[in-house]
Amino acid sequence: MAEADGKPAALNGGSEEKRPGEDQQKEGDASGSKDGQTRSSSEDAPKETAEASGDKAMPEAEGETVGDREGEEEEDSDSMDGSGLFSLTEDGERESEGGRRERVKEKVKRAARKRIRPGGGTNRSSSSDEDEDDDEQKEDNDDDDDDDDNDEEIETWLGAELYDLHGPTWQAVPSLRSREIGKNSHQFVRRVCGARGLVQRLELQGRLERHTGCVNTLHFNPSGTRLASGSDDLRVVIWDWAVRRAELEFDSGHKSNVFQAKFLPHSGDSTLAMCARDGQIRVAELSATQRCKNTKRVAQHKGAAHKLALEPDSPCSFLSAGEDAVVYGIDLRLDRPANKLVVVKEGDKKVGLYTIFVNPAKTQQFAVGGRDQYVRIYDQRKINENENNGVLKKFCPSHLVSSESKTNITCLVYSHDGTELLASYNDEDIYLFDSNHSDGADYRRRYKGHRNNATVKGVNFYGPCSEFVVSGSDCGHIYLWDKNSARIVQFMEGDRGGVVNCLEPHPHLPGMATSGLDHDIKLWAPTAENPTGLKGLKEVMKKNKRERDEDSVRHGDQYDTQLLWFLMRHMRNRRPQRTRREGADADTDESWSSPDSSDEDDGGPDHVQCMSS
């Protein structure tokens, strides 16, 4: 008899002793004969067995086995409405959706073969049919055993490298009473923002809808009153997020997907730096009357430019990194703003870059990551490409140093005080490094469960003292880990499109904004009445791990990061190139860029002449 819920029927309340009718039932099912015998085992089976498997007791159709009925009912139970991204099964096998459907199809085919067999067939044909069914049943049992073993391995992997989760350090009532009498009132907001109880109550507050393409970047201004967003539609929008209104919308001047748009600090929110797939680094000058004066190009990479790094106290200087392996230092006070700081190399081979971040405590130091497994830290005062290619120190998880898989770093960030460095690896995990450790030191913490494969995932710290780690996932969920224990404390469905890429915590309040393949921006705040129960988390983590392992086996060394970008570009719903208007009014909020010129025309790749719009 087929197993229900991955366990023998005897474990669901039945007896282990064979009943008189069971042998007859098996023989009748195997041969497909219609002898009209009374199946006592079917009639006398305990109700608990049927209830445990989720099936209702009903008469058997002629020529069908018990396994066939279970397969058909299982297929019906997998039907879902459009609200879910995938099925979260509750049985012991935890099969993937595609695997279950294939198995159901095989069972239906076997049932059809049995129904069309002639009742008066020869003994030889009947014997061959029995052998075929026995082989198929054996294969199914072997698959079940393999799935169970695989689930055990995944659970063991997920449970490794976890630490004890300490009790809450913030309590609402005592903290409120202390604030009322003026005790530690200046620390109240910081402690609230870093409280695990509030993180576990995060829920969706609303959406900001204006873009017509995937939203690739989010950035709060230093005071937290405005939010800048950039998209595949080549537009940048400045939001008054509290009232969910777009205050300013303008054309970025870029020719391809806008990857980042950031307010420069101490600029009065009047200067916005941007980068995009076209390799341009542009600066937009905003007026107090809610319009964009102009945008101008200040640097040009020979490949896509994914990230900018702001210097915490500088309103006029920042860094950029591109797939051409070049890091530019940009100073808006100069006539020729862009200065090449370093070309990142491993040996003699250039390493294309996807991410860059400035150490907030040591602003002369910056970290980069890209098309290999190493986090590299540089000091702008000590870059000598003749010595170790100018690298101050490198970090990498020990098991990835000699790995043959082509692992990339899609994003890295420093903690609030610059002592820790967080790096997210594509189709791998998230790793925490101590930035003060010596060259070659291994990671301190590892954060698992999400999936970083389809697009370039961001990663970030959450909390005023970097108490948590937050990341999106290909499964469409948002994960928050407790930094010290590496345990997941929050798990939310983020994007209907299936992928969450960008996560931006508010600088002063307990909440954040997120975006992904959907065309909207989602706002989150800790307003849920009860803390999360992490419902469905275990199943989703298993599914992510299983798919990651399957892709690793399928692609192996053939998987290349260029293929990743190619697939990502065609996954997204890209708008056709916007036709630019001629003779636009001077009062419009949109400002158009001048035609591009080559690096040679602008004075060479080391210095790119600023071109006004």
Side-chain angles (χ1 to χ4, degrees):
M1 185 173 179
E3 292 181 357
D5 288 343
K7 298 179 181 179
L11 299 180
N12 289 330
S15 172
E16 294 184 1
E17 297 181 358
K18 292 184 179 180
R19 294 202 173 104
E22 288 184 351
D23 294 336
Q24 296 178 1
Q25 180 185 353
K26 292 180 179 178
E27 294 175 359
D29 291 340
S31 64
S33 64
K34 305 176 181 179
D35 55 3
Q37 292 181 350
T38 304
R39 298 186 173 100
S40 59
S41 62
S42 174
E43 296 173 354
D44 299 336
K47 293 182 179 180
E48 289 83 353
T49 304
E51 293 174 354
S53 61
D55 299 334
K56 296 181 180 180
M58 58 186 299
E60 296 184 12
E62 285 187 319
E64 293 183 353
T65 65
V66 177
D68 296 333
R69 292 200 320 277
E70 290 182 354
E72 292 172 357
E73 293 179 7
E74 189 175 7
E75 185 177 22
D76 293 338
S77 67
D78 288 340
S79 62
M80 299 182 64
D81 55 18
S83 62
L85 298 177
F86 41 76
S87 173
L88 299 180
T89 59
E90 296 181 359
D91 56 6
E93 294 182 12
R94 309 295 184 191
E95 293 182 322
S96 65
E97 186 77 13
R100 182 185 295 111
R101 288 180 178 174
E102 290 298 326
R103 181 164 298 176
V104 170
K105 289 179 182 178
E106 290 298 326
K107 291 181 178 179
V108 172
K109 290 179 181 178
R110 291 200 294 270
R113 287 199 298 267
K114 293 175 184 177
R115 283 194 292 269
I116 63 176
R117 288 172 189 159
T122 62
N123 292 335
R124 181 177 179 181
S125 62
S126 175
S127 175
S128 62
D129 291 339
E130 291 177 4
D131 293 341
E132 182 181 352
D133 289 342
D134 290 342
D135 292 340
E136 291 174 347
Q137 184 66 29
K138 184 177 180 181
E139 291 177 0
D140 288 346
N141 292 336
D142 292 341
D143 291 340
D144 293 342
D145 293 339
D146 292 341
D147 290 340
D148 292 339
D149 294 341
N150 189 30
D151 279 348
E152 291 179 2
E153 293 177 1
I154 292 176
E155 287 190 6
T156 301
W157 178 81
L158 290 174
E161 299 187 68
L162 298 180
Y163 301 84
D164 292 336
L165 186 63
H166 298 295
T169 59
W170 179 83
Q171 295 179 341
V173 174
S175 182
L176 287 169
R177 287 177 177 172
S178 297
R179 189 180 68 163
E180 288 178 354
I181 62 175
K183 183 179 179 181
N184 296 327
S185 58
H186 62 288
Q187 293 291 333
F188 179 81
V189 174
R190 291 179 61 85
R191 291 178 178 175
V192 168
C193 293
R196 188 168 73 236
L198 267 67
V199 170
Q200 293 174 329
R201 286 174 168 81
L202 285 171
E203 65 177 355
L204 183 63
Q205 293 297 298
R207 295 177 172 87
L208 305 178
E209 298 178 348
R210 189 82 172 196
H211 289 290
T212 57
C214 306
V215 181
N216 305 317
T217 175
L218 299 172
H219 188 246
F220 284 104
N221 64 348
S223 62
T225 59
R226 298 293 181 267
L227 176 68
S229 63
S231 169
D232 287 357
D233 61 9
L234 312 184
R235 311 285 290 176
V236 173
V237 180
I238 309 299
W239 301 88
D240 183 345
W241 62 270
V243 296
R244 303 176 193 173
R245 183 181 70 243
E247 288 197 335
L248 172 62
E249 180 181 0
F250 62 93
D251 192 287
S252 64
H254 288 286
K255 295 183 176 181
S256 189
N257 315 47
V258 178
F259 284 153
Q260 224 170 26
K262 288 191 170 187
F263 292 101
L264 294 186
H266 306 296
S267 66
D269 302 337
S270 63
T271 307
L272 200 71
M274 303 171 292
C275 64
R277 181 181 290 278
D278 58 12
Q280 294 185 41
I281 310 300
R282 302 187 70 87
V283 173
E285 296 181 8
L286 311 180
S287 69
T289 57
Q290 298 182 3
R291 60 183 297 266
C292 177
K293 296 178 180 178
N294 59 62
T295 67
K296 58 184 178 181
R297 190 183 67 177
V298 295
Q300 176 72 59
H301 288 274
K302 295 180 179 179
H306 293 271
K307 289 290 192 295
L308 304 173
L310 304 182
E311 296 185 6
D313 299 322
S314 176
C316 53
S317 60
F318 58 95
L319 306 180
S320 71
E323 289 188 21
D324 56 0
V326 175
V327 175
Y328 281 119
I330 299 171
D331 191 333
L332 301 179
R333 296 168 296 187
L334 303 178
D335 292 335
R336 303 171 74 88
N339 175 47
K340 184 189 294 184
L341 295 180
V342 66
V343 178
V344 178
K345 295 181 179 180
E346 182 62 25
D348 295 329
K349 183 179 179 181
K350 292 184 179 180
V351 179
L353 301 178
Y354 299 145
T355 180
I356 183 170
F357 209 94
V358 170
N359 188 329
K362 303 174 182 178
T363 57
Q364 295 299 324
Q365 294 184 8
F366 63 92
V368 297
R371 289 182 180 167
D372 68 1
Q373 65 270 44
Y374 292 103
V375 174
R376 293 173 175 83
I377 297 177
Y378 295 85
D379 190 320
Q380 296 186 48
R381 303 164 298 181
K382 305 176 182 178
I383 295 179
N384 182 357
E385 295 189 16
N386 295 324
E387 296 182 9
N388 197 25
N389 286 323
V391 178
L392 182 66
K393 58 177 93 173
K394 293 194 299 186
F395 297 132
C396 178
S398 56
H399 62 282
L400 295 180
V401 172
S402 59
S403 174
E404 296 181 357
S405 62
K406 295 182 178 180
T407 306
N408 305 319
I409 298 174
T410 61
C411 185
L412 57 78
V413 291
Y414 275 101
S415 61
H416 71 291
D417 57 2
T419 60
E420 294 171 319
L421 192 56
L422 198 63
S424 180
Y425 286 76
N426 98 286
D427 237 5
E428 247 280 339
D429 297 321
I430 300 170
Y431 297 90
L432 181 72
F433 301 92
D434 188 330
S435 61
N436 294 322
H437 278 179
S438 58
D439 183 29
D442 205 358
Y443 64 92
R444 294 181 55 238
R445 293 289 188 273
R446 182 178 185 175
Y447 307 97
K448 298 179 286 188
H450 74 306
R451 185 94 196 276
N452 178 5
N453 179 58
T455 58
V456 181
K457 298 290 176 304
V459 68
N460 216 331
F461 287 101
Y462 181 89
C465 297
S466 306
E467 293 91 344
F468 304 94
V469 173
V470 59
S471 174
S473 175
D474 290 349
C475 63
H477 290 84
I478 300 168
Y479 294 76
L480 282 108
W481 294 264
D482 176 74
K483 184 183 72 174
N484 293 324
S485 67
R487 295 181 182 272
I488 294 176
V489 295
Q490 181 58 284
F491 168 74
M492 307 175 292
E493 184 177 346
D495 252 38
R496 295 174 183 173
V499 179
V500 179
N501 295 327
C502 187
L503 309 105
E504 179 73 5
H506 193 277
H508 310 299
L509 297 176
M512 64 179 174
T514 64
S515 65
L517 294 189
D518 287 351
H519 297 177
D520 60 7
I521 301 161
K522 296 176 178 65
L523 303 175
W524 307 83
T527 57
E529 184 176 352
N530 298 312
T532 178
L534 301 178
K535 183 179 179 181
L537 171 62
K538 190 174 183 180
E539 288 76 16
V540 176
M541 293 171 68
K542 287 183 178 180
K543 181 177 183 290
N544 289 338
K545 173 61 175 173
R546 189 180 295 112
E547 290 180 350
R548 193 173 95 179
D549 293 343
E550 291 173 356
D551 285 349
S552 176
V553 172
R554 185 181 302 116
H555 296 290
D557 293 338
Q558 298 177 358
Y559 192 81
D560 188 80
T561 54
Q562 290 292 340
L563 177 62
L564 171 68
W565 294 114
F566 179 80
L567 293 176
M568 184 192 72
R569 182 172 61 181
H570 287 274
M571 274 183 60
R572 299 188 174 191
N573 297 324
R574 300 181 62 196
R575 284 190 61 177
Q577 181 70 31
R578 183 184 302 275
T579 58
R580 298 185 174 182
R581 298 177 299 175
E582 297 181 359
D585 295 336
D587 294 335
T588 182
D589 288 341
E590 301 174 357
S591 53
W592 312 109
S593 301
S594 300
D596 284 335
S597 58
S598 65
D599 289 333
E600 289 78 6
D601 293 339
D602 290 333
D606 289 348
H607 300 279
V608 180
Q609 179 65 38
C610 172
M611 298 183 62
S612 300
S613 298

